Amino acid sequence: MDTCQTGTIDITGCRVSLYPMKDQFANHILTSINETNTSAVWQQTDLFSTLYRGEPASVVDAAAALFINARDPQTHLVGEFTFSKGCPGDHAGDSYLNGQQATPNIVNNQNKGTFAVDCKYSFYAFGENNYMEEIAAIVALADEYGLHPQSAHYVTLLSGSASQLFQYFEAALAYAHKHLSHYVLEATISVNSPSKAVPDHV
Amino acid sequence: MDTCQTGTIDITGCRVSLYPMKDQFANHILTSINETNTSAVWQQTDLFSTLYRGEPASVVDAAAALFINARDPQTHLVGEFTFSKGCPGDHAGDSYLNGQQATPNIVNNQNKGTFAVDCKYSFYAFGENNYMEEIAAIVALADEYGLHPQSAHYVTLLSGSASQLFQYFEAALAYAHKHLSHYVLEATISVNSPSKAVPDHV
């Protein structure tokens, strides 16, 4: 799991789990997996999640598309995302580290990602003496992206459009990729929760 | 979020998010919240999660009950759990730190928690020079509890009965409470996934 040696692993990854709260959830998930352009990332689906691995921008691009493609106005959908760099594993995916940072879903994500989302997330940095400053930098970046970060127990809350949120994650991962050898960003994104009385579009 | 000072916060907490993959998910969640005995913990429900805070055994007891009470044989249910100690927040819940480690749901959890689950989880320890050893100790404990830990990208996989899994979490949190000033255990538990072709009972 976390038996990580720092400084040796350059590949970024994301585990995405989709939870469409509806009877026909399985087809909903599979359709979105098929609609997502994964030409720029290594991918694998297991019992819990779909994994994307590659360069930071490409991983966020695919993870964003998977969630954005799965959203429909009638469904309460939650996505759970674990972005990370620095954990060893196999070398599957290393062939995607070609320096291109390709984002083949970007137009789709911008066009379809205008709906409002809520997010809870935590950022963890390992093996750094100044990790508190790095976390503060990541949260400050959320403010710059207009996502109104607010503290809650064990997490920070964000709100904005889906497209805005994933643009922030791309910036956060680019920062983390440059400054940190090992980090984890855990995020849960919710859309169309019946607990919200606000309209779906920002 | 993670702007934590170590060594000053003694309260344990858990954020539990339930995802019943069915049209009538909202009532499903609310029923389980109402069925869970929370006499031993502080509780709060927000847009994402129900939070329990108190002593480690009491927090696991309530979190386990919320998931176990929500399980029914016809529903694919996923629960997302963030157990933590060491993050500052308000002092709500401190009155539950009475040394009793009460577990009012324990009989219910043992009787109803015989169904098979799969789990992915990660354990993070902060502010410790020997955190790799602490993580190894936590994973070794999963083996002792018969949960067959297996490595996967970014997580460790476990399998067993629900009751067995939460007993392990109680032991892991007791260990962490004793040895670590600040930790996070992130777990996702799945039951009745259509991706599994095995029966629901172990």
Side-chain angles (χ1 to χ4, degrees):
Chain A
M1 67 197 281
D2 312 298
T3 47
C4 292
Q5 306 301 318
T6 57
T8 55
I9 310 292
D10 198 47
I11 194 165
T12 299
C14 187
R15 267 192 174 268
V16 191
S17 303
L18 293 181
Y19 309 121
M21 253 67 85
K22 61 190 285 193
D23 291 349
Q24 304 301 320
F25 65 92
N27 277 342
H28 195 112
I29 295 169
L30 293 173
T31 300
S32 181
I33 290 174
N34 289 334
E35 284 176 1
T36 297
N37 184 326
T38 57
S39 58
V41 290
W42 176 90
Q43 77 164 322
Q44 186 183 69
T45 297
D46 66 20
L47 180 68
F48 287 98
S49 324
T50 293
L51 283 94
Y52 298 127
R53 302 177 78 222
E55 299 182 326
S58 306
V59 168
V60 175
D61 176 76
L66 187 60
F67 184 80
I68 288 169
N69 290 335
R71 176 258 178 183
D72 81 49
Q74 278 75 48
T75 304
H76 174 31
L77 172 71
V78 173
E80 187 195 341
F81 300 75
T82 303
F83 294 100
S84 184
K85 188 195 75 168
C87 267
D90 54 49
H91 292 281
D94 283 2
S95 64
Y96 290 91
L97 301 180
N98 57 13
Q100 295 187 0
Q101 303 269 350
T103 54
N105 298 283
I106 195 164
V107 172
N108 172 75
N109 290 347
Q110 284 173 356
N111 289 347
K112 291 172 65 180
T114 55
F115 57 91
V117 296
D118 290 279
C119 175
K120 69 175 173 75
Y121 82 121
S122 297
F123 184 81
Y124 309 119
F126 305 98
E128 298 288 328
N129 289 327
N130 58 341
Y131 75 99
M132 298 305 300
E133 287 83 356
E134 301 295 1
I135 291 168
I138 294 286
V139 176
L141 204 53
D143 209 15
E144 284 176 36
Y145 275 77
L147 293 165
H148 314 292
Q150 295 197 304
S151 286
H153 283 307
Y154 312 118
V155 295
T156 295
L157 304 174
L158 302 175
S159 57
S161 73
S163 154
Q164 205 176 357
L165 181 67
F166 284 107
Q167 281 171 37
Y168 161 63
F169 285 152
E170 184 178 335
L173 264 62
Y175 178 92
H177 192 78
K178 195 170 169 186
H179 291 84
L180 301 168
S181 56
H182 183 197
Y183 73 86
V184 172
L185 190 159
E186 294 267 8
T188 306
I189 307 175
S190 170
V191 60
N192 295 328
S193 168
S195 306
K196 300 273 288 186
V198 298
D200 184 38
H201 275 263
V202 287
Chain B
M1 70 196 281
D2 310 299
T3 47
C4 292
Q5 306 301 319
T6 57
T8 55
I9 310 293
D10 197 48
I11 195 164
T12 298
C14 186
R15 271 193 170 265
V16 191
S17 304
L18 294 181
Y19 309 120
M21 253 67 87
K22 61 191 285 194
D23 291 347
Q24 303 301 320
F25 65 93
N27 277 342
H28 195 110
I29 295 169
L30 293 173
T31 300
S32 181
I33 290 174
N34 289 334
E35 284 176 1
T36 298
N37 184 326
T38 57
S39 57
V41 290
W42 176 90
Q43 78 164 322
Q44 186 182 69
T45 297
D46 66 19
L47 179 69
F48 286 98
S49 324
T50 293
L51 283 93
Y52 298 126
R53 302 177 78 219
E55 299 184 325
S58 306
V59 167
V60 175
D61 175 76
L66 187 60
F67 184 79
I68 288 170
N69 290 335
R71 175 258 178 184
D72 81 49
Q74 278 75 48
T75 304
H76 175 31
L77 172 71
V78 173
E80 186 194 342
F81 301 75
T82 303
F83 295 100
S84 185
K85 189 196 74 166
C87 267
D90 54 50
H91 292 282
D94 283 1
S95 64
Y96 290 92
L97 301 180
N98 57 12
Q100 295 187 1
Q101 303 268 350
T103 54
N105 298 283
I106 194 165
V107 172
N108 173 74
N109 290 348
Q110 285 175 354
N111 289 347
K112 291 172 65 181
T114 54
F115 56 92
V117 296
D118 289 280
C119 175
K120 68 176 173 74
Y121 82 121
S122 298
F123 185 81
Y124 309 120
F126 305 99
E128 299 288 328
N129 288 328
N130 59 340
Y131 75 100
M132 297 307 299
E133 286 84 356
E134 300 295 0
I135 292 167
I138 294 285
V139 176
L141 204 53
D143 209 16
E144 285 175 36
Y145 275 77
L147 293 165
H148 314 291
Q150 295 198 306
S151 286
H153 284 306
Y154 312 119
V155 295
T156 295
L157 304 175
L158 303 175
S159 57
S161 73
S163 157
Q164 205 177 357
L165 181 66
F166 285 107
Q167 282 171 35
Y168 161 63
F169 286 152
E170 184 178 335
L173 264 62
Y175 178 93
H177 192 78
K178 194 170 169 186
H179 291 84
L180 301 168
S181 56
H182 184 195
Y183 73 85
V184 172
L185 191 160
E186 294 266 7
T188 305
I189 307 176
S190 169
V191 59
N192 295 329
S193 168
S195 306
K196 301 271 290 186
V198 297
D200 183 36
H201 276 262
V202 285

